[in-house]
Amino acid sequence: RSSKLVAQLMPRGFEPKPSGLYSAIFAVRPLDKKRVNMSDMIINDVHDDRIVCGFMGHTIELPKDALQLGIKTASYFRRFEITPKYGDWVLKKRCKVSTTLQKLSDVKINYSYIQKSIDYRKTNLLVTKRLDLSSPGSTFIAFFSENEMVSPNTFYSVKCAPPHALVICLWINSVFGIIQFLNRRMETRGSYCDILKEDLIEFDVPSVKQLPDNLLKWYEENRETEFPTLAEQFTSKSPRRGLDRAMMLWMGWKESEVDTDLDALYVALHDELQLLKSAMKG
């Protein structure tokens, strides 16, 4: 495939038009106090047919048939798989509280624009565009969902079939993806990193559409695992070690050399993230 065609298959998430739109339509999962402090609409309770949210001092109920699964920000998502029970929600069409939301937020909500943006960008694989690699809120670079999801413009919506989306998600979150992310990143300040679409297109990723058995087993065992921060993952006891070992064997590493080489990679990645963290403080 040409680079131009590939670029069309990974659009950025939709833009906040007008300014403040995200605040009025993203219901955020309260995974951490810092995440709550950055958002206005917070999920308080979930029922079969609706979710109950706090919004600017008010309680509102959003019907699930008006919502789309999504991620507002990657911060404090400790799992790489996004599900209806572990994700944010986006209000994609009018409902009973639409007028109230618009009045409280003082934002003109164009649901036609939102629905059109979602239809074009919904995907099973999201790759973050901007990430503070050493932040306590940073855990993963890519996120997978069996359900289609949507995001703001801080992610790329990578369009591919769910089985391939899972392969790429695990690959990008493995040491192979992290090393490419570090090598191709565009420095902004300190440990903040931006990945341009031109760089993401050039990422080496597996063309295989299905996981081998050892990686599939790791996925099934860890899809609901709460991982430590990215900066804390490169240790011998990290749950990610099984992922990286399986990836290395898949890539053709001799089993007798995997652990020694992986230990060396972990030391190098740990040191690199510590340097980035120091740069941020400086």
Side-chain angles (χ1 to χ4, degrees):
R1 294 180 178 179
S2 68
S3 294
K4 185 175 181 180
L5 176 58
V6 173
Q8 293 175 350
L9 296 175
M10 51 178 68
R12 286 176 61 178
F14 68 91
E15 302 288 335
K17 298 178 181 179
S19 177
L21 178 66
Y22 295 158
S23 175
I25 64 171
F26 267 94
V28 171
R29 187 76 55 175
L31 302 175
D32 187 272
K33 288 182 179 179
K34 291 184 179 179
R35 197 167 198 267
V36 170
N37 291 339
M38 295 185 290
S39 303
D40 290 320
M41 193 185 304
I42 310 300
I43 299 171
N44 290 334
D45 200 5
V46 179
H47 301 274
D48 291 340
D49 60 342
R50 68 193 188 283
I51 64 173
V52 181
C53 301
F55 184 68
M56 296 185 172
H58 298 262
T59 298
I60 58 170
E61 295 189 2
L62 302 175
K64 281 191 175 178
D65 61 5
L67 301 174
Q68 173 73 45
L69 185 65
I71 306 178
K72 185 183 180 186
T73 169
S75 293
Y76 297 98
F77 271 105
R78 302 302 188 197
R79 304 179 191 176
F80 58 82
E81 182 166 1
I82 303 303
T83 69
K85 293 183 179 180
Y86 194 82
D88 299 330
W89 291 97
V90 184
L91 183 63
K92 63 182 180 180
K93 62 183 182 182
R94 293 185 183 279
C95 60
K96 290 182 179 179
V97 297
S98 295
T99 301
T100 300
L101 284 174
Q102 191 155 294
K103 288 180 179 179
L104 290 173
S105 64
D106 196 27
V107 174
K108 186 175 181 180
I109 305 174
N110 184 336
Y111 290 100
S112 176
Y113 163 74
I114 295 168
Q115 187 66 67
K116 184 177 179 180
S117 297
I118 287 175
D119 289 343
Y120 178 63
R121 293 170 174 85
K122 58 186 179 181
T123 181
N124 300 96
L125 175 63
L126 293 172
V127 179
T128 186
K129 176 187 178 293
R130 190 168 194 261
L131 186 70
D132 178 355
L133 292 167
S134 67
S135 166
S138 297
T139 305
F140 294 106
I141 298 172
F143 297 88
F144 166 77
S145 179
E146 292 182 339
N147 308 95
E148 290 180 317
M149 55 183 172
V150 71
S151 71
N153 59 8
T154 49
F155 291 85
Y156 294 106
S157 299
V158 182
K159 298 185 177 183
C160 53
H164 198 200
L166 177 57
V167 172
I168 297 175
C169 176
L170 296 184
W171 172 265
I172 290 179
N173 286 320
S174 77
V175 290
F176 294 103
I178 293 169
I179 289 169
Q180 290 185 89
F181 194 91
L182 286 166
N183 285 341
R184 296 181 183 273
R185 68 187 174 89
M186 180 181 70
E187 291 190 18
T188 49
R189 64 182 183 88
S191 56
Y192 275 96
C193 301
D194 276 359
I195 288 292
L196 300 176
K197 183 181 289 191
E198 292 82 357
D199 293 322
L200 189 58
I201 289 171
E202 297 300 321
F203 264 50
D204 292 321
V205 297
S207 59
V208 178
K209 303 297 192 294
Q210 298 285 347
L211 291 172
D213 289 344
N214 58 343
L215 273 169
L216 183 59
K217 180 181 179 181
W218 184 90
Y219 161 68
E220 293 292 352
E221 291 175 349
N222 290 277
R223 60 193 302 183
E224 295 183 359
T225 297
E226 302 273 332
F227 283 73
T229 66
L230 185 61
E232 298 170 337
Q233 288 183 22
F234 302 106
T235 68
S236 60
K237 296 182 180 180
S238 172
R240 72 167 297 117
R241 192 175 180 91
L243 169 65
D244 294 327
R245 287 191 89 262
M247 281 290 182
M248 292 174 77
L249 291 170
W250 192 25
M251 293 300 104
W253 248 264
K254 292 181 179 180
E255 187 159 9
S256 60
E257 298 175 359
V258 167
D259 286 315
T260 300
D261 290 347
L262 189 55
D263 287 341
L265 282 172
Y266 277 14
V267 169
L269 287 169
H270 176 270
D271 290 348
E272 178 67 18
L273 292 182
Q274 292 306 310
L275 285 172
L276 290 174
K277 190 173 183 178
S278 297
M280 191 68 176
K281 290 181 179 179

